Amino acid sequence: MSWDLNLCLDVWEKTVVPFHYFVKPKPQPTSPPSRSFFAFFSLPVDLQLMVYECCDTPTLFHLMQTSSRTRHAATKLFWENNFDDHWYHCLDYPLFAQEHNTYTIPRHCSEFASKITNIEIDLVRINFLSEADDEACKSTIAKAKDFWVKVEKVFPSVRNVILAGCTPREARPPPPGELDEEYTTIETAVDCAPAHIKAHIAFVAFPNPERDRAPRHTLWKVRSREQPAWQVLDNDWKPTRVFLPNRKWTVSPLGDYKTYNQIYHSVLLESRGLEWLMKESYARYAMHDIIYCPRLDCHETFKQRVLWKQHLSSSDHGRFEIRHQSERNPMLQLFCYKHTPELEKEAIEKRQQRLHTHLIEAEKIERRVGHGWGPPRSEQRRLFEEEFLAQIRKESLYIPKEPGPECMSPDELYLDGLWADFSHSHIYHACSGTGEGHVCYRD
């Protein structure tokens, strides 16, 4: 895993890049200010276009917003996204689930999603396309076609799709002549892709946690009518996975609920990356080839990195929770190694301060939702839930199916999620002694 001070990791230690980091201008070497002004627009148009074509994606993004004269050319190249190693990443699995028993609301900006051409979709599981996983007995082909209809609904301009996260139980495809239901299901899903969409598969292999390497992804080309049907395109696929920008929500019951979840999701990604960087500093900047354990109450030292990693895994000394640095047990706090360069320490500390600010913002929204929700069986709660559910029905991509007689209705499922995140006792415990009044969202 590369040393990147903006590192973000998902729960599987997969490196992902939030959109705001992706388009953040890269620091440039300082140089004395020039007294002459370079008149870019005085160049011939063909030379201007050549300059645009040499720009990376973040530069194009900023040129789109710099001047009306640069916007058209930069916008065209930005959305073409001809960089093979840049893939937008979607982990919003419920968008593509076969049977929707609840409302489905994208977490990303829909306008942005409508223009992208390359997307990696993390499916989590492939079983939802299997015939055996369907009470209605829909065929795998029918379910696969339905899946691609939904993909085009969410990403209407898409041309290249990587299906990730659907790793079968068997690590390798079956040899010719043998069948494996999971691999056959994946082949069917790929074969059903529309003609204008090129689909590939990315499987992840998780190493032994004691080993010093991140999960490895293998990129596969799948064509059931060819032999062999499965062909490796890249044994160690390491694209730049860029999270789609979050949707901006207005202050409202649903808007606050979604914003609250977006903030916490972002904080989790950043926290995992920060934790990795801080632990890694003990090995990266070890003095005299002696690596210390990051736990303050552990005095073990190691000459070999692999032994250090084994120690962190077997002793749980590699587990920290930097979002809530322990006040009860100072020994559980995580700090950068003392020989980490000061500039890097400063950058990491600034990220921690930003995360703390985000958590404070999330807590304010949490209190606002909790107060707005009101006490159980109160008129305030009834009005809040009415507006909350009305917004959900309006924003949902799909109309939920009718539940069975013993199942919760779509409304009940969403309200149950609201209760789980903002239970009355939890909110009032968090707000005890604040003296804050209830927030009313209604005009």
Side-chain angles (χ1 to χ4, degrees), residues 333-376:
Q333 295 190 35
L334 177 62
F335 300 96
C336 289
Y337 185 49
K338 59 184 178 182
H339 293 296
T340 303
E342 289 301 321
L343 286 177
E344 295 187 2
K345 280 185 185 178
E346 183 180 344
I348 288 174
E349 288 171 1
K350 285 182 178 178
R351 275 189 76 186
Q352 287 182 291
Q353 291 169 5
R354 288 200 304 271
L355 291 193
H356 181 66
T357 301
H358 292 331
L359 285 171
I360 292 175
E361 181 184 356
E363 289 169 0
K364 289 180 180 177
I365 296 174
E366 182 182 40
R367 288 195 293 269
R368 191 162 69 203
V369 174
H371 285 312
W373 196 18

Side-chain angles (χ1 to χ4, degrees), residues 28 141 206 332:
Q28 301 295 326
I141 292 178
F206 295 101
L332 295 180

Side-chain angles (χ1 to χ4, degrees), residues 274-290:
L274 274 172
E275 183 177 319
W276 186 91
L277 290 169
M278 295 166 79
K279 289 188 294 188
E280 180 66 15
S281 67
Y282 286 77
R284 183 180 179 87
Y285 299 112
M287 301 294 289
H288 310 298
D289 295 326
I290 298 176

Side-chain angles (χ1 to χ4, degrees), residues 5-25:
L5 293 178
N6 291 326
L7 179 69
C8 293
L9 298 173
D10 69 5
V11 68
W12 303 115
E13 292 192 2
K14 182 163 56 182
T15 301
V16 291
V17 183
F19 186 73
H20 66 92
Y21 281 140
F22 180 59
V23 297
K24 183 179 180 181

Side-chain angles (χ1 to χ4, degrees), residues 101-364:
N101 59 354
T102 187
Y103 300 104
T104 306
I105 302 174
R107 68 177 71 184
H108 55 256
C109 172
S110 297
E111 182 181 357
F112 190 96
S114 70
K115 297 178 181 179
I116 63 176
T117 57
N118 295 349
I119 187 72
E120 180 190 52
I121 301 174
D122 201 334
L123 291 179
V124 181
R125 54 190 288 270
I126 197 65
N127 302 40
F128 76 90
L129 291 173
S130 171
E131 294 180 34
D133 197 54
D134 188 3
E135 296 177 359
C137 298
K138 289 176 65 175
S139 69
T140 298
I141 292 178
K143 296 170 80 172
K145 289 180 177 179
D146 184 48
F147 166 77
W148 287 110
V149 167
K150 292 174 180 177
V151 169
E152 290 194 280
K153 181 180 178 68
V154 179
F155 306 109
S157 301
V158 72
R159 293 296 177 267
N160 300 287
V161 175
I162 303 294
L163 301 181
C166 48
T167 306
R169 284 183 287 269
E170 295 296 329
R172 305 290 297 182
E178 295 186 17
L179 292 178
D180 181 291
E181 183 180 347
E182 291 180 312
Y183 280 93
T184 302
T185 298
I186 296 172
E187 290 172 16
T188 302
V190 173
D191 286 344
C192 288
H196 60 276
I197 294 180
K198 185 183 296 183
H200 294 309
I201 301 294
F203 290 153
V204 59
F206 295 101
N208 185 309
E210 295 181 356
R211 295 180 183 172
D212 185 26
R213 59 187 177 91
R216 179 173 57 84
H217 291 77
T218 304
L219 186 64
W220 295 84
K221 174 185 175 182
V222 183
R223 296 292 182 270
S224 63
R225 298 178 183 85
E226 299 178 5
Q227 289 298 330
W230 291 76
Q231 300 174 30
V232 174
L233 297 179
D234 192 336
N235 260 319
D236 192 11
W237 191 53
K238 296 179 180 178
T240 299
R241 294 180 174 89
V242 183
F243 265 133
L244 296 169
N246 285 328
R247 175 178 174 176
K248 303 296 184 184
W249 292 90
T250 58
V251 175
S252 63
L254 180 62
D256 282 351
Y257 180 63
K258 290 295 184 181
T259 302
Y260 165 83
N261 282 288
Q262 287 174 355
I263 292 174
Y264 265 103
H265 179 253
S266 175
V267 167
L268 284 172
L269 293 175
E270 299 244 15
S271 296
R272 295 189 194 104
L274 274 172
E275 183 177 319
W276 186 91
L277 290 169
M278 295 166 79
K279 289 188 294 188
E280 180 66 15
S281 67
Y282 286 77
R284 183 180 179 87
Y285 299 112
M287 301 294 289
H288 310 298
D289 295 326
I290 298 176
I291 307 176
Y292 286 86
C293 175
R295 270 280 291 258
L296 298 180
D297 58 350
C298 178
H299 304 291
E300 295 275 357
T301 59
F302 306 89
K303 286 284 189 180
Q304 297 179 25
R305 182 188 179 90
V306 65
L307 297 178
W308 175 68
K309 294 287 287 188
Q310 289 174 358
H311 167 76
L312 296 184
S313 175
S314 61
S315 65
D316 280 343
H317 283 192
R319 293 189 178 184
F320 296 89
E321 182 52 89
I322 65 170
R323 285 181 299 146
H324 309 289
Q325 292 279 35
S326 177
E327 296 179 359
R328 296 182 180 179
N329 187 353
M331 294 296 106
L332 295 180
Q333 295 190 35
L334 177 62
F335 300 96
C336 289
Y337 185 49
K338 59 184 178 182
H339 293 296
T340 303
E342 289 301 321
L343 286 177
E344 295 187 2
K345 280 185 185 178
E346 183 180 344
I348 288 174
E349 288 171 1
K350 285 182 178 178
R351 275 189 76 186
Q352 287 182 291
Q353 291 169 5
R354 288 200 304 271
L355 291 193
H356 181 66
T357 301
H358 292 331
L359 285 171
I360 292 175
E361 181 184 356
E363 289 169 0
K364 289 180 180 177

